[in-house]
Amino acid sequence: MDLEETWDQYETIKTFQRLLISWYRKNGRDYPWRKTRDPYAILVSEMMLQQTRIAVVLNRGFYARWMNAFPTWTELAGATEEEVLTVWQGLGYYNRARYLWRTAQIITHDYGGKFPQNLNEVLALPGIGRYSAGAVLSFAFDQSVPILDGNIKRIFSRIFVIEERIDDYIGEKKLWTLAETLLPTLDARSFNSALMELGQTICLPGTPLCASCPVSSLCMASTLGVTNFYPKKREKIHPTLCEETVAIFEKDGQIFLTQEGGSRRRGLWRLPGTSDLDTSKSRELIEFSYSITRYRVRLRVFLADLQHLTEQNGIWIPLNAQEQWPPLGAPYRKAIEYYSQQRD
DNA sequence: AAAGCGGGGCC
DNA sequence: GGCCCAGCTTT
């Protein structure tokens, strides 16, 4: 459905902007990255929040730790990849940390330490797509550049009862056009923030709180009572089950680790696999499941005898000095922590 | 156009 | 268990 058919262009759009922004002034939360106009501090938050909930980034201290370790472009650019991954470990999607690191090097070397304010230059930075570019330009510089994330897709999908799947090209194109059309020239920062806040607290993925929504009277899905049917999405592929066995080798209070190869958790460390270890002769320590991308993995952890250690490349880490551990994939860290506790 | 990429919190 | 999250890059 075209916007022109739904809303009589100008006046309704102005009303929508006004209702949304005034709601946000009363109800917007005061996140650390909303207290600043520093493009670095804002970009760090945007990178961390890609496919990641605010509660995780905030409550588990990722944002504070990062800003403390790397307060500016310069400190980040001067760090090593291992240092960067260590601070990022546990957050997932580790390429994000590398992209941010590479961006810091580009900003310090090519831009004299000043973040560009031109959309195409921002889009050329690694790990920054259309959403993140719009977010930094609107939040840091109050430029009138649209953003579109999961929250905003859901909101627009309901307001305009969009039948196209929001994760397909056609639907995305339509949604971006809406984001451009509805965006005000002035105070884009508040408008963009308000949309995300609305998606986060009112226009929820499950049952939205339409009674508390400032724009419910303009929302077709709410008016028709069909909010639960929107947004439309692609069918999910169900996870593939697989099994993984790893070994804990201990020597002089140290544990043996190998480094991740391939593209998954690249650069992080892990417990060695046990492809050639006869697990029937080893004691199983613990077993649990975790999900990664499209797999559901049953992980079995064995206590192995040193004579079975054939792997050459690896490191030994002190079991009782966690601060000396290198960046580890979350499941392996958990297994080692469990072993460490149980052993005492 | 589709797949790959982590991990956790909540139902 | 599955769902979803302040997405982006690669194939």
Side-chain angles (χ1 to χ4, degrees), chain A residues 320-341:
Chain A
N320 59 9
Q322 205 164 325
E323 68 282 358
Q324 292 178 38
W325 296 358
L328 280 157
Y332 312 116
R333 173 172 282 273
K334 278 186 190 124
I336 297 171
E337 281 171 354
Y338 176 82
Y339 174 63
S340 175
Q341 283 186 4

Side-chain angles (χ1 to χ4, degrees), chain A residues 82-96:
Chain A
E82 176 119 333
E83 286 167 346
V84 162
L85 289 174
T86 297
V87 180
W88 198 273
Q89 80 175 299
L91 246 194
Y93 287 154
Y94 295 95
N95 272 336
R96 293 183 295 173

